[in-house]
Amino acid sequence: MGTIDVHEFISLDGVVSDPSWTAEYGFTDAMGEAIGRLTDAAILLGRNTYEMFHPAWSARGHDVESGGAFFNGAPKHVVTSTLADPLEWENSRVLGPYAPARIRQLKDATDGGIYVSGSVTLVRALLADGLVDTLNLFVYPVSLGAGLRLFAEGARVPLRLRESEAYENGVVRLTYGPPLT
């Protein structure tokens, strides 16, 4: 059975939209290694993130060092009610609108990790339905004051800290899992 492993770049005040603000902090090798550990068997994306990732990653070919080998070679599953098959990006398929049972079937059919990045609407739903196995927040030392936040107003999402790692650029990775029951 697969795991759903989410990765988000997030500000101190919870903003995840348009991560261009992360550029001023740089990207360390250790951060790349941490993200690399999440890229295992498959990719799960919402439509908006798919549409952003497709041109960015497909142009990189299958270079291992840049991550292109994973992002272009791995099966990509897109949660959407507006796109239809066949999708342009190799190894991509539409799952249809969000349905927890369909996501559970994907987990059951996948041997390894299912990587999710961005896709805030999808991640919120996955968290609400208890389908996220690890939530990897790369927390940047900045408050942006406005923008799309990972956790919706009034959302209560209990989590358990599994691991943390600080990087030389001031970013901290917090890895959460489901709470102990």
Side-chain angles (χ1 to χ4, degrees):
M1 182 163 125
T3 59
I4 293 182
D5 303 307
V6 175
H7 148 240
E8 299 288 349
F9 293 138
I10 189 167
S11 68
L12 287 171
D13 56 347
V15 174
V16 292
S17 56
D18 183 14
S20 60
W21 51 267
T22 65
E24 68 185 86
Y25 295 92
F27 189 81
T28 71
D29 289 342
M31 291 170 69
E33 290 167 11
I35 293 171
R37 288 190 297 272
L38 301 175
T39 56
D40 184 22
I43 302 171
L44 178 64
L45 299 170
R47 180 190 55 83
N48 288 335
T49 302
Y50 171 86
E51 289 177 342
M52 289 187 302
F53 274 28
H54 170 236
W57 285 104
S58 61
R60 297 182 192 197
H62 288 269
D63 175 60
V64 172
E65 191 161 318
S66 73
F70 172 73
F71 283 96
N72 289 310
K76 289 165 279 298
H77 308 277
V78 184
V79 175
T80 177
S81 59
T82 59
L83 294 179
D85 279 325
L87 296 175
E88 296 174 19
W89 195 7
E90 67 181 285
N91 300 319
S92 296
R93 73 181 186 103
V94 169
L95 283 182
Y98 179 77
R102 191 174 297 126
I103 302 299
R104 284 186 193 92
Q105 288 173 341
L106 176 62
K107 284 180 76 168
D108 289 345
T110 303
D111 185 24
I114 303 167
Y115 174 78
V116 182
S117 182
S119 306
V120 176
T121 302
L122 173 61
V123 170
R124 285 177 175 176
L126 293 168
L127 285 166
D129 290 326
L131 294 169
V132 173
D133 295 286
T134 65
L135 175 62
N136 297 272
L137 301 177
F138 288 75
V139 183
Y140 283 74
V142 63
S143 175
L144 297 174
L148 180 65
R149 287 177 165 70
L150 178 59
F151 302 104
E153 184 74 30
R156 184 177 187 284
V157 181
L159 299 166
R160 175 177 49 94
L161 184 66
R162 289 186 172 175
E163 186 177 298
S164 63
E165 181 178 20
Y167 303 108
E168 63 213 39
N169 60 356
V171 174
V172 176
R173 178 181 50 85
L174 302 172
T175 299
Y176 293 95
L180 296 173
T181 54

